Amino acid sequence: SEVDCFSASFVRRTSSHMATGSDGEMSTEIDLAVPTEDTWSEDARQVYAELAKKLTEKDGWERRPFLVDTSEPADSHRGMTRCDREQTGNFYNYAYWLNRHAQKLCGVVEFGQYLQGPPGCAHGGATASIADACMGSTVYYSGRRAVTANLTVNYRNFVQLGRPYLIESSVEREDGRKVFADFQLSTTDRSVACVQATGLFVTARKN
């Protein structure tokens, strides 16, 4: 199960996520969406484990990996929110699960020290990027090829560095080529909403 894999995989850094190929040789692929003890805090790893247990027990939820091949040039596969290929823990540490049928996403995020805005807190641009990434993923994995047309972000509370937060998004409605989604970043008990956002996405024209 996801939890068993999580519990057994803590060795050190990337070696904990390298898979064995069909020929028995160690793969050079790593999954940046799996926590390591060098990059994620203990609290964040605990939230990950709890979500893994909870969501994998429910129908329709699947974890989305983010695989990179370490044998390729270092500048490849550096998506903005997945830029920490070396797994320093200084940027975005996050993982999420998707329910394609319900068009929902749920996950955990922790912001590293290089994303600081106010002292000890994440920059608003960093949290807005996660909002856009999560809503965009929810739209895309529900079967739509779309791009962001408008992003509205409301900052409710400071987001502390090195602390885990829940991330949740969903597709709300569709109107022609327009797809409307929303997002929330909150404390892990959902008692405090820190960032809320809405997005308008536009699907590609059909030829």
PDB file of all heavy atoms in Angstrom, residues 31-60:
ATOM      1  N   ASP A  31      11.055   9.925  -7.950  1.00  0.00           N
ATOM      2  CA  ASP A  31       9.734  10.534  -7.818  1.00  0.00           C
ATOM      3  C   ASP A  31       9.843  11.698  -6.834  1.00  0.00           C
ATOM      4  O   ASP A  31       9.994  11.497  -5.629  1.00  0.00           O
ATOM      5  CB  ASP A  31       8.732   9.495  -7.309  1.00  0.00           C
ATOM      6  CG  ASP A  31       7.307  10.028  -7.277  1.00  0.00           C
ATOM      7  OD1 ASP A  31       7.126  11.235  -7.531  1.00  0.00           O
ATOM      8  OD2 ASP A  31       6.396   9.239  -6.984  1.00  0.00           O
ATOM      9  N   LEU A  32       9.775  12.915  -7.352  1.00  0.00           N
ATOM     10  CA  LEU A  32       9.913  14.093  -6.506  1.00  0.00           C
ATOM     11  C   LEU A  32       8.690  14.336  -5.633  1.00  0.00           C
ATOM     12  O   LEU A  32       8.709  15.207  -4.766  1.00  0.00           O
ATOM     13  CB  LEU A  32      10.178  15.334  -7.369  1.00  0.00           C
ATOM     14  CG  LEU A  32      11.482  15.336  -8.167  1.00  0.00           C
ATOM     15  CD1 LEU A  32      11.639  16.661  -8.895  1.00  0.00           C
ATOM     16  CD2 LEU A  32      12.682  15.069  -7.269  1.00  0.00           C
ATOM     17  N   ALA A  33       7.618  13.565  -5.837  1.00  0.00           N
ATOM     18  CA  ALA A  33       6.408  13.732  -5.038  1.00  0.00           C
ATOM     19  C   ALA A  33       6.364  12.782  -3.847  1.00  0.00           C
ATOM     20  O   ALA A  33       5.340  12.675  -3.179  1.00  0.00           O
ATOM     21  CB  ALA A  33       5.167  13.543  -5.903  1.00  0.00           C
ATOM     22  N   VAL A  34       7.472  12.109  -3.571  1.00  0.00           N
ATOM     23  CA  VAL A  34       7.559  11.242  -2.395  1.00  0.00           C
ATOM     24  C   VAL A  34       8.504  11.893  -1.398  1.00  0.00           C
ATOM     25  O   VAL A  34       9.613  12.285  -1.760  1.00  0.00           O
ATOM     26  CB  VAL A  34       8.072   9.836  -2.768  1.00  0.00           C
ATOM     27  CG1 VAL A  34       8.307   8.996  -1.516  1.00  0.00           C
ATOM     28  CG2 VAL A  34       7.071   9.136  -3.676  1.00  0.00           C
ATOM     29  N   PRO A  35       8.096  12.050  -0.144  1.00  0.00           N
ATOM     30  CA  PRO A  35       8.945  12.717   0.848  1.00  0.00           C
ATOM     31  C   PRO A  35      10.232  11.962   1.146  1.00  0.00           C
ATOM     32  O   PRO A  35      10.278  10.732   1.061  1.00  0.00           O
ATOM     33  CB  PRO A  35       8.066  12.747   2.106  1.00  0.00           C
ATOM     34  CG  PRO A  35       6.685  12.490   1.644  1.00  0.00           C
ATOM     35  CD  PRO A  35       6.806  11.643   0.425  1.00  0.00           C
ATOM     36  N   THR A  36      11.267  12.707   1.480  1.00  0.00           N
ATOM     37  CA  THR A  36      12.482  12.119   2.025  1.00  0.00           C
ATOM     38  C   THR A  36      12.741  12.775   3.377  1.00  0.00           C
ATOM     39  O   THR A  36      12.320  13.908   3.629  1.00  0.00           O
ATOM     40  CB  THR A  36      13.709  12.336   1.116  1.00  0.00           C
ATOM     41  OG1 THR A  36      14.088  13.716   1.177  1.00  0.00           O
ATOM     42  CG2 THR A  36      13.409  11.946  -0.316  1.00  0.00           C
ATOM     43  N   GLU A  37      13.465  12.097   4.224  1.00  0.00           N
ATOM     44  CA  GLU A  37      13.718  12.632   5.556  1.00  0.00           C
ATOM     45  C   GLU A  37      14.700  13.791   5.533  1.00  0.00           C
ATOM     46  O   GLU A  37      14.794  14.556   6.494  1.00  0.00           O
ATOM     47  CB  GLU A  37      14.228  11.529   6.484  1.00  0.00           C
ATOM     48  CG  GLU A  37      15.473  10.816   6.008  1.00  0.00           C
ATOM     49  CD  GLU A  37      15.812   9.628   6.887  1.00  0.00           C
ATOM     50  OE1 GLU A  37      15.097   9.376   7.861  1.00  0.00           O
ATOM     51  OE2 GLU A  37      16.802   8.946   6.583  1.00  0.00           O
ATOM     52  N   ASP A  38      15.437  13.968   4.417  1.00  0.00           N
ATOM     53  CA  ASP A  38      16.350  15.098   4.296  1.00  0.00           C
ATOM     54  C   ASP A  38      15.654  16.369   3.824  1.00  0.00           C
ATOM     55  O   ASP A  38      16.185  17.464   4.003  1.00  0.00           O
ATOM     56  CB  ASP A  38      17.467  14.770   3.307  1.00  0.00           C
ATOM     57  CG  ASP A  38      18.540  13.898   3.929  1.00  0.00           C
ATOM     58  OD1 ASP A  38      18.520  13.727   5.157  1.00  0.00           O
ATOM     59  OD2 ASP A  38      19.391  13.377   3.182  1.00  0.00           O
ATOM     60  N   THR A  39      14.508  16.230   3.175  1.00  0.00           N
ATOM     61  CA  THR A  39      13.875  17.395   2.564  1.00  0.00           C
ATOM     62  C   THR A  39      12.576  17.812   3.250  1.00  0.00           C
ATOM     63  O   THR A  39      12.319  19.003   3.401  1.00  0.00           O
ATOM     64  CB  THR A  39      13.581  17.130   1.077  1.00  0.00           C
ATOM     65  OG1 THR A  39      12.794  15.940   0.955  1.00  0.00           O
ATOM     66  CG2 THR A  39      14.880  16.936   0.298  1.00  0.00           C
ATOM     67  N   TRP A  40      11.756  16.875   3.640  1.00  0.00           N
ATOM     68  CA  TRP A  40      10.484  17.190   4.286  1.00  0.00           C
ATOM     69  C   TRP A  40      10.639  17.131   5.801  1.00  0.00           C
ATOM     70  O   TRP A  40      11.355  16.274   6.325  1.00  0.00           O
ATOM     71  CB  TRP A  40       9.408  16.193   3.886  1.00  0.00           C
ATOM     72  CG  TRP A  40       8.974  16.230   2.453  1.00  0.00           C
ATOM     73  CD1 TRP A  40       9.770  16.257   1.342  1.00  0.00           C
ATOM     74  CD2 TRP A  40       7.629  16.209   1.976  1.00  0.00           C
ATOM     75  NE1 TRP A  40       8.997  16.254   0.215  1.00  0.00           N
ATOM     76  CE2 TRP A  40       7.684  16.219   0.567  1.00  0.00           C
ATOM     77  CE3 TRP A  40       6.385  16.168   2.609  1.00  0.00           C
ATOM     78  CZ2 TRP A  40       6.543  16.200  -0.219  1.00  0.00           C
ATOM     79  CZ3 TRP A  40       5.244  16.137   1.822  1.00  0.00           C
ATOM     80  CH2 TRP A  40       5.322  16.172   0.425  1.00  0.00           C
ATOM     81  N   SER A  41       9.927  18.007   6.507  1.00  0.00           N
ATOM     82  CA  SER A  41       9.945  17.960   7.969  1.00  0.00           C
ATOM     83  C   SER A  41       9.207  16.711   8.452  1.00  0.00           C
ATOM     84  O   SER A  41       8.430  16.099   7.717  1.00  0.00           O
ATOM     85  CB  SER A  41       9.274  19.208   8.551  1.00  0.00           C
ATOM     86  OG  SER A  41       7.867  19.176   8.300  1.00  0.00           O
ATOM     87  N   GLU A  42       9.451  16.359   9.706  1.00  0.00           N
ATOM     88  CA  GLU A  42       8.761  15.196  10.273  1.00  0.00           C
ATOM     89  C   GLU A  42       7.260  15.394  10.269  1.00  0.00           C
ATOM     90  O   GLU A  42       6.495  14.464   9.990  1.00  0.00           O
ATOM     91  CB  GLU A  42       9.256  14.951  11.696  1.00  0.00           C
ATOM     92  CG  GLU A  42       8.640  13.737  12.366  1.00  0.00           C
ATOM     93  CD  GLU A  42       9.182  13.480  13.755  1.00  0.00           C
ATOM     94  OE1 GLU A  42      10.133  14.182  14.164  1.00  0.00           O
ATOM     95  OE2 GLU A  42       8.644  12.586  14.441  1.00  0.00           O
ATOM     96  N   ASP A  43       6.805  16.624  10.560  1.00  0.00           N
ATOM     97  CA  ASP A  43       5.367  16.894  10.565  1.00  0.00           C
ATOM     98  C   ASP A  43       4.775  16.728   9.171  1.00  0.00           C
ATOM     99  O   ASP A  43       3.674  16.183   9.013  1.00  0.00           O
ATOM    100  CB  ASP A  43       5.107  18.324  11.067  1.00  0.00           C
ATOM    101  CG  ASP A  43       5.333  18.471  12.556  1.00  0.00           C
ATOM    102  OD1 ASP A  43       5.390  17.435  13.256  1.00  0.00           O
ATOM    103  OD2 ASP A  43       5.467  19.612  13.021  1.00  0.00           O
ATOM    104  N   ALA A  44       5.484  17.189   8.158  1.00  0.00           N
ATOM    105  CA  ALA A  44       4.988  17.069   6.786  1.00  0.00           C
ATOM    106  C   ALA A  44       4.924  15.604   6.356  1.00  0.00           C
ATOM    107  O   ALA A  44       3.973  15.179   5.696  1.00  0.00           O
ATOM    108  CB  ALA A  44       5.878  17.860   5.830  1.00  0.00           C
ATOM    109  N   ARG A  45       5.926  14.837   6.738  1.00  0.00           N
ATOM    110  CA  ARG A  45       5.915  13.418   6.394  1.00  0.00           C
ATOM    111  C   ARG A  45       4.758  12.696   7.081  1.00  0.00           C
ATOM    112  O   ARG A  45       4.156  11.784   6.510  1.00  0.00           O
ATOM    113  CB  ARG A  45       7.257  12.766   6.767  1.00  0.00           C
ATOM    114  CG  ARG A  45       8.446  13.373   6.049  1.00  0.00           C
ATOM    115  CD  ARG A  45       9.694  12.500   6.111  1.00  0.00           C
ATOM    116  NE  ARG A  45      10.068  12.086   7.441  1.00  0.00           N
ATOM    117  CZ  ARG A  45      10.911  12.745   8.241  1.00  0.00           C
ATOM    118  NH1 ARG A  45      11.437  13.899   7.827  1.00  0.00           N
ATOM    119  NH2 ARG A  45      11.228  12.266   9.421  1.00  0.00           N
ATOM    120  N   GLN A  46       4.440  13.119   8.284  1.00  0.00           N
ATOM    121  CA  GLN A  46       3.317  12.511   9.002  1.00  0.00           C
ATOM    122  C   GLN A  46       1.991  12.833   8.310  1.00  0.00           C
ATOM    123  O   GLN A  46       1.128  11.957   8.159  1.00  0.00           O
ATOM    124  CB  GLN A  46       3.287  13.004  10.444  1.00  0.00           C
ATOM    125  CG  GLN A  46       2.160  12.426  11.290  1.00  0.00           C
ATOM    126  CD  GLN A  46       2.220  10.913  11.409  1.00  0.00           C
ATOM    127  OE1 GLN A  46       3.308  10.338  11.489  1.00  0.00           O
ATOM    128  NE2 GLN A  46       1.068  10.257  11.391  1.00  0.00           N
ATOM    129  N   VAL A  47       1.829  14.073   7.884  1.00  0.00           N
ATOM    130  CA  VAL A  47       0.602  14.454   7.170  1.00  0.00           C
ATOM    131  C   VAL A  47       0.505  13.667   5.868  1.00  0.00           C
ATOM    132  O   VAL A  47      -0.581  13.182   5.509  1.00  0.00           O
ATOM    133  CB  VAL A  47       0.574  15.971   6.889  1.00  0.00           C
ATOM    134  CG1 VAL A  47      -0.623  16.332   6.016  1.00  0.00           C
ATOM    135  CG2 VAL A  47       0.524  16.753   8.201  1.00  0.00           C
ATOM    136  N   TYR A  48       1.613  13.512   5.166  1.00  0.00           N
ATOM    137  CA  TYR A  48       1.632  12.719   3.938  1.00  0.00           C
ATOM    138  C   TYR A  48       1.152  11.297   4.214  1.00  0.00           C
ATOM    139  O   TYR A  48       0.312  10.747   3.486  1.00  0.00           O
ATOM    140  CB  TYR A  48       3.041  12.712   3.356  1.00  0.00           C
ATOM    141  CG  TYR A  48       3.212  11.829   2.139  1.00  0.00           C
ATOM    142  CD1 TYR A  48       3.143  12.365   0.865  1.00  0.00           C
ATOM    143  CD2 TYR A  48       3.460  10.470   2.265  1.00  0.00           C
ATOM    144  CE1 TYR A  48       3.305  11.573  -0.265  1.00  0.00           C
ATOM    145  CE2 TYR A  48       3.614   9.662   1.147  1.00  0.00           C
ATOM    146  CZ  TYR A  48       3.537  10.213  -0.112  1.00  0.00           C
ATOM    147  OH  TYR A  48       3.686   9.403  -1.215  1.00  0.00           O
ATOM    148  N   ALA A  49       1.683  10.691   5.260  1.00  0.00           N
ATOM    149  CA  ALA A  49       1.313   9.313   5.596  1.00  0.00           C
ATOM    150  C   ALA A  49      -0.168   9.206   5.940  1.00  0.00           C
ATOM    151  O   ALA A  49      -0.845   8.252   5.545  1.00  0.00           O
ATOM    152  CB  ALA A  49       2.163   8.811   6.762  1.00  0.00           C
ATOM    153  N   GLU A  50      -0.684  10.180   6.666  1.00  0.00           N
ATOM    154  CA  GLU A  50      -2.099  10.166   7.039  1.00  0.00           C
ATOM    155  C   GLU A  50      -2.990  10.313   5.809  1.00  0.00           C
ATOM    156  O   GLU A  50      -4.018   9.632   5.680  1.00  0.00           O
ATOM    157  CB  GLU A  50      -2.386  11.280   8.046  1.00  0.00           C
ATOM    158  CG  GLU A  50      -1.741  11.035   9.410  1.00  0.00           C
ATOM    159  CD  GLU A  50      -1.848  12.237  10.330  1.00  0.00           C
ATOM    160  OE1 GLU A  50      -2.349  13.301   9.871  1.00  0.00           O
ATOM    161  OE2 GLU A  50      -1.437  12.130  11.496  1.00  0.00           O
ATOM    162  N   LEU A  51      -2.616  11.216   4.899  1.00  0.00           N
ATOM    163  CA  LEU A  51      -3.393  11.381   3.673  1.00  0.00           C
ATOM    164  C   LEU A  51      -3.323  10.130   2.810  1.00  0.00           C
ATOM    165  O   LEU A  51      -4.325   9.710   2.221  1.00  0.00           O
ATOM    166  CB  LEU A  51      -2.880  12.584   2.884  1.00  0.00           C
ATOM    167  CG  LEU A  51      -3.258  13.970   3.389  1.00  0.00           C
ATOM    168  CD1 LEU A  51      -2.577  15.038   2.543  1.00  0.00           C
ATOM    169  CD2 LEU A  51      -4.769  14.169   3.375  1.00  0.00           C
ATOM    170  N   ALA A  52      -2.132   9.537   2.729  1.00  0.00           N
ATOM    171  CA  ALA A  52      -1.979   8.317   1.937  1.00  0.00           C
ATOM    172  C   ALA A  52      -2.909   7.227   2.440  1.00  0.00           C
ATOM    173  O   ALA A  52      -3.575   6.542   1.656  1.00  0.00           O
ATOM    174  CB  ALA A  52      -0.525   7.848   1.990  1.00  0.00           C
ATOM    175  N   LYS A  53      -2.974   7.061   3.735  1.00  0.00           N
ATOM    176  CA  LYS A  53      -3.836   6.034   4.319  1.00  0.00           C
ATOM    177  C   LYS A  53      -5.307   6.349   4.083  1.00  0.00           C
ATOM    178  O   LYS A  53      -6.090   5.495   3.669  1.00  0.00           O
ATOM    179  CB  LYS A  53      -3.574   5.905   5.817  1.00  0.00           C
ATOM    180  CG  LYS A  53      -4.347   4.778   6.502  1.00  0.00           C
ATOM    181  CD  LYS A  53      -3.961   4.682   7.963  1.00  0.00           C
ATOM    182  CE  LYS A  53      -4.570   3.435   8.611  1.00  0.00           C
ATOM    183  NZ  LYS A  53      -6.038   3.370   8.490  1.00  0.00           N
ATOM    184  N   LYS A  54      -5.663   7.595   4.324  1.00  0.00           N
ATOM    185  CA  LYS A  54      -7.060   7.997   4.217  1.00  0.00           C
ATOM    186  C   LYS A  54      -7.574   7.932   2.784  1.00  0.00           C
ATOM    187  O   LYS A  54      -8.646   7.377   2.507  1.00  0.00           O
ATOM    188  CB  LYS A  54      -7.227   9.415   4.763  1.00  0.00           C
ATOM    189  CG  LYS A  54      -8.620   9.998   4.608  1.00  0.00           C
ATOM    190  CD  LYS A  54      -8.663  11.430   5.126  1.00  0.00           C
ATOM    191  CE  LYS A  54     -10.028  12.062   4.910  1.00  0.00           C
ATOM    192  NZ  LYS A  54     -10.062  13.472   5.376  1.00  0.00           N
ATOM    193  N   LEU A  55      -6.808   8.488   1.847  1.00  0.00           N
ATOM    194  CA  LEU A  55      -7.298   8.613   0.480  1.00  0.00           C
ATOM    195  C   LEU A  55      -7.196   7.314  -0.313  1.00  0.00           C
ATOM    196  O   LEU A  55      -8.037   7.052  -1.175  1.00  0.00           O
ATOM    197  CB  LEU A  55      -6.549   9.738  -0.234  1.00  0.00           C
ATOM    198  CG  LEU A  55      -6.805  11.138   0.326  1.00  0.00           C
ATOM    199  CD1 LEU A  55      -5.948  12.165  -0.400  1.00  0.00           C
ATOM    200  CD2 LEU A  55      -8.275  11.515   0.237  1.00  0.00           C
ATOM    201  N   THR A  56      -6.177   6.507  -0.036  1.00  0.00           N
ATOM    202  CA  THR A  56      -6.073   5.249  -0.775  1.00  0.00           C
ATOM    203  C   THR A  56      -7.113   4.234  -0.318  1.00  0.00           C
ATOM    204  O   THR A  56      -7.343   3.234  -1.004  1.00  0.00           O
ATOM    205  CB  THR A  56      -4.663   4.641  -0.630  1.00  0.00           C
ATOM    206  OG1 THR A  56      -4.309   4.544   0.759  1.00  0.00           O
ATOM    207  CG2 THR A  56      -3.630   5.493  -1.351  1.00  0.00           C
ATOM    208  N   GLU A  57      -7.752   4.501   0.816  1.00  0.00           N
ATOM    209  CA  GLU A  57      -8.837   3.630   1.266  1.00  0.00           C
ATOM    210  C   GLU A  57     -10.163   4.016   0.625  1.00  0.00           C
ATOM    211  O   GLU A  57     -11.160   3.304   0.760  1.00  0.00           O
ATOM    212  CB  GLU A  57      -8.962   3.692   2.790  1.00  0.00           C
ATOM    213  CG  GLU A  57      -7.811   2.998   3.529  1.00  0.00           C
ATOM    214  CD  GLU A  57      -7.915   3.154   5.029  1.00  0.00           C
ATOM    215  OE1 GLU A  57      -8.735   3.980   5.490  1.00  0.00           O
ATOM    216  OE2 GLU A  57      -7.176   2.456   5.746  1.00  0.00           O
ATOM    217  N   LYS A  58     -10.192   5.160  -0.061  1.00  0.00           N
ATOM    218  CA  LYS A  58     -11.407   5.635  -0.705  1.00  0.00           C
ATOM    219  C   LYS A  58     -11.352   5.356  -2.202  1.00  0.00           C
ATOM    220  O   LYS A  58     -10.298   5.423  -2.827  1.00  0.00           O
ATOM    221  CB  LYS A  58     -11.587   7.142  -0.465  1.00  0.00           C
ATOM    222  CG  LYS A  58     -11.815   7.519   0.985  1.00  0.00           C
ATOM    223  CD  LYS A  58     -12.055   9.017   1.103  1.00  0.00           C
ATOM    224  CE  LYS A  58     -12.377   9.423   2.536  1.00  0.00           C
ATOM    225  NZ  LYS A  58     -12.647  10.880   2.657  1.00  0.00           N
ATOM    226  N   ASP A  59     -12.510   5.066  -2.769  1.00  0.00           N
ATOM    227  CA  ASP A  59     -12.581   4.802  -4.201  1.00  0.00           C
ATOM    228  C   ASP A  59     -12.302   6.070  -5.002  1.00  0.00           C
ATOM    229  O   ASP A  59     -12.776   7.157  -4.653  1.00  0.00           O
ATOM    230  CB  ASP A  59     -13.958   4.257  -4.580  1.00  0.00           C
ATOM    231  CG  ASP A  59     -14.187   2.845  -4.044  1.00  0.00           C
ATOM    232  OD1 ASP A  59     -13.189   2.149  -3.798  1.00  0.00           O
ATOM    233  OD2 ASP A  59     -15.361   2.469  -3.878  1.00  0.00           O
ATOM    234  N   GLY A  60     -11.560   5.912  -6.071  1.00  0.00           N
ATOM    235  CA  GLY A  60     -11.395   7.003  -7.019  1.00  0.00           C
ATOM    236  C   GLY A  60     -10.177   7.881  -6.807  1.00  0.00           C
ATOM    237  O   GLY A  60      -9.846   8.690  -7.676  1.00  0.00           O
TER     238      GLY A  60
END
